[in-house]
Amino acid sequence: MSTQVFPSLIGQGWGITRSPIWKTLINQAVSGRETRMGFWSYPIYEWELTFNFLRVGTMRQTVYTELQSLMGLFNRMNGSFDSFLYTDGDDNAVTGASLGTGNGTTTQFQLVRSFGSFIEPVFAPNIVTAVYLNGVLQSGANYTVTGWGTATPGIITFVTPPANGVVVTADYSYYFPCRFSDDRMDFNKFMQNLYEAQSVKFRSIKL
């Protein structure tokens, strides 16, 4: 599980497609009555980005490596084989996220994110800026946070278990762990020192 971060490139187009995907088994009887079984507790997301230009080489005495950044990431991940971390521009941080309530013995709490009315786990925290117990800011010496690439990612572990009834909340930013959807990516050179990538697809991954 790589911790390489998807690059932020100025040539990215405004159009972004983001698709939540679920897995459901549907059996339909002759009468038309359906029996449905859901296999997942939270979705996989797929993104499709467009890069209108990726600069390469020297232009006006400035050396650009935008093409190398994107193509290099794709090749470093061996296409769809390895994972990377992606920052979604509209879904990357939470403030005052409720992580649970202490019982005097539990020391570990899973980071989560809410989007609308749906809540799901966060496995790739970026920066945890604050942790609170009943609204009281805690010192960083009182807890640790595991990141992506560890055996139990996205877990806050307290040195001393929060007391019974104490509400645990936190502020943090996060990534989506992803992989490229395909083993091929097309780059089109449309002008000297300028390329474009009209379809860069990747999807989130589950543990």
Side-chain angles (χ1 to χ4, degrees):
M1 296 188 292
S2 167
T3 56
Q4 185 78 19
V5 177
F6 191 90
S8 176
L9 301 172
I10 193 172
Q12 181 178 328
W14 281 104
I16 299 175
T17 300
R18 176 178 171 179
S19 307
I21 302 169
W22 290 86
K23 184 71 171 180
T24 306
L25 175 65
I26 302 175
N27 288 320
Q28 188 177 60
V30 176
S31 65
R33 182 177 179 179
E34 292 181 346
T35 301
R36 295 176 298 278
M37 179 180 297
F39 291 104
W40 296 348
S41 58
Y42 57 94
I44 283 175
Y45 296 94
E46 186 169 75
W47 290 264
E48 183 174 11
L49 310 183
T50 297
F51 290 87
N52 296 325
F53 66 87
L54 296 163
R55 294 172 291 189
V56 61
T58 303
M59 302 173 63
R60 297 180 180 179
Q61 300 182 336
T62 301
V63 178
Y64 295 99
T65 59
E66 295 162 5
L67 176 66
Q68 292 95 320
S69 294
L70 182 55
M71 190 182 294
L73 176 67
F74 181 73
N75 289 334
R76 184 173 177 180
M77 297 303 104
N78 293 348
S80 61
F81 174 73
D82 204 352
S83 65
F84 57 89
L85 301 176
Y86 174 66
T87 302
D88 186 290
D90 300 307
D91 184 4
N92 58 60
V94 292
T95 300
S98 178
L99 306 182
T101 303
N103 58 13
T105 58
T106 299
T107 59
Q108 295 187 328
F109 295 81
Q110 175 70 54
L111 297 181
V112 296
R113 56 176 281 280
S114 61
F115 203 78
S117 59
F118 187 74
I119 299 174
E120 60 187 285
V122 166
F123 295 118
N126 181 6
I127 300 174
V128 177
T129 55
V131 175
Y132 306 91
L133 296 180
N134 273 355
V136 178
L137 180 65
Q138 300 298 296
S139 167
N142 294 338
Y143 61 88
T144 58
V145 182
T146 53
W148 179 249
T150 62
T152 55
I155 298 289
I156 287 183
T157 301
F158 289 94
V159 175
T160 302
N164 188 50
V166 170
V167 177
V168 181
T169 58
D171 307 334
Y172 45 89
S173 58
Y174 51 85
Y175 301 107
F176 285 89
C178 296
R179 68 163 178 84
F180 288 106
S181 299
D182 303 302
D183 284 327
R184 170 176 173 163
M185 186 180 297
D186 295 326
F187 298 88
N188 175 49
K189 185 174 183 178
F190 63 94
M191 191 178 293
Q192 183 176 353
N193 302 115
L194 290 172
Y195 284 74
E196 64 180 359
Q198 289 300 313
S199 179
V200 177
K201 290 183 179 181
F202 50 90
R203 58 171 49 200
S204 62
I205 59 176
K206 288 174 173 280
L207 291 180

